[in-house]
């Protein structure tokens, strides 16, 4: 994945747990780079090793780290200069969730080698919708829960996310039920 992702993991760990925790995670994961280059593509394995080592060093499950990371990502990308692109994706949570594929295809100009996820909304009612998540990668679903929670914060909307279909349990893709204040 692009270095921007690894950089965000590094910043999240340093912000929440301090530099020493990051140093221990970097060593345990045998990561050579001291800093990541946002626009350089790194092997997915490196990102997975960072999450696994963070889980061991911090004593938190990998799923929890991914969820926290999803939340952090919304703020982080806003601060890293992608706020305007997010502004273009919608004025409220359901509109934004419906435009996630457009957002990632616009980002494809900046990150040409990216393998973006794909999202679809269904069963939309006044306060709920189902969010379908399709990915080339495995094990990222907890990040999606955190991302939607982070977007709830961005739109100042109380939000609840429950995974209702799980690829790890044999489903062909992941589905999340999202409930929000209109
Ligand atoms: C402007 C803000 C955003 C930027 C700059 C951004 C950029 C990226 C980048 C660079 C990747 C790595 C893909 C790769 O290297 O192959 C990625 C992956 C991902 N993004 Fe975004 N993204 C943004 C917002 C969002 C939002 C709001 C969501 C909410 C659902 C989201 C969901 C994901 C997921 C789940 C992945 C993991 C990739 C996978 O499933 O295979 N992103 N994004």
């Amino acid at each position: 994945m692009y270095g921007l992702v690894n950089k965000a993991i590094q910043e999240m760990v340093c912000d929440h747990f301090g530099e020493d925790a990051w140093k221990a995670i970097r060593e345990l994961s045998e990561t050579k780079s001291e800093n990541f280059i946002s626009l350089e593509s790194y092997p997915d394995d490196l990102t997975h090793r960072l999450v696994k080592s963070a889980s061991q060093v911090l004593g938190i499950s990998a799923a929890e780290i991914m969820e926290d990371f999803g939340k952090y990502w919304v703020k982080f990308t806003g601060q890293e200069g992608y706020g305007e692109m997010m502004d273009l994706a919608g004025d409220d949570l359901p509109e934004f969730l419906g435009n996630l594929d457009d957002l990632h295809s616009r980002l494809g100009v900046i990150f040409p080698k990216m393998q973006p996820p794909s999202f679809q909304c269904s069963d939309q009612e006044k306060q709920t919708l189902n969010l379908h998540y399709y990915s080339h990668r495995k094990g990222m679903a907890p990040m999606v829960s955190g991302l939607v929670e982070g977007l709830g914060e961005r739109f100042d909307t109380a939000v609840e996310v429950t995974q209702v279909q799980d690829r790890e349990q044999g489903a062909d893709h992941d589905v999340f039920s999202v409930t929000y204040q209109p």
Side-chain angles (χ1 to χ4, degrees):
M1 272 189 274
Y2 272 96
L4 187 69
V5 174
N6 302 325
K7 194 173 160 187
I9 295 177
Q10 177 175 359
E11 286 212 17
M12 178 183 82
V13 170
C14 290
D15 271 10
H16 296 174
F17 303 96
E19 302 276 339
D20 287 349
W22 173 249
K23 202 167 161 254
I25 291 163
R26 198 165 71 80
E27 276 168 21
L28 186 64
S29 62
E30 294 177 4
T31 301
K32 289 181 194 81
S33 331
E34 285 224 11
N35 288 300
F36 301 104
I37 299 161
S38 297
L39 296 180
E40 190 170 309
S41 186
Y42 294 81
D44 278 9
D45 177 55
L46 169 59
T47 310
H48 292 135
R49 283 201 327 265
L50 288 174
V51 173
K52 204 172 154 201
S53 305
S55 164
Q56 285 170 12
V57 169
L58 303 170
I60 305 173
S61 72
E64 238 176 290
I65 289 172
M66 298 281 287
E67 192 172 337
D68 286 352
F69 177 67
K71 243 183 181 177
Y72 192 83
W73 183 246
V74 176
K75 278 193 205 128
F76 175 84
T77 49
Q79 286 159 9
E80 286 284 306
Y82 300 96
E84 266 180 42
M85 286 189 102
M86 281 208 275
D87 289 343
L88 286 173
D91 294 330
D92 59 36
L93 182 70
E95 187 190 359
F96 193 103
L97 293 177
N99 286 329
L100 281 170
D101 281 7
D102 283 349
L103 171 66
H104 282 97
S105 38
R106 273 186 234 118
L107 286 163
V109 177
I110 304 169
F111 303 97
K113 287 191 218 150
M114 109 191 264
Q115 286 197 293
S118 179
F119 293 93
Q120 261 169 32
C121 296
S122 74
D123 308 283
Q124 187 169 350
E125 289 178 28
K126 205 168 162 223
Q127 298 193 28
T128 60
L129 57 78
N130 282 339
L131 181 68
H132 299 252
Y133 164 53
Y134 304 85
S135 173
H136 297 280
R137 303 180 170 94
K138 282 188 177 161
M140 312 284 285
M143 177 181 168
V144 175
S145 301
L147 280 159
V148 177
E149 285 163 24
L151 289 171
E153 281 176 10
R154 177 177 167 84
F155 291 110
D156 211 5
T157 302
V159 77
E160 257 181 59
V161 192
T162 315
Q163 188 163 0
V164 292
Q165 196 176 291
D166 193 337
R167 244 168 97 189
E168 310 251 317
Q169 313 280 334
D172 70 295
H173 69 280
D174 297 304
V175 183
F176 301 83
S177 164
V178 182
T179 306
Y180 48 89
Q181 297 292 323

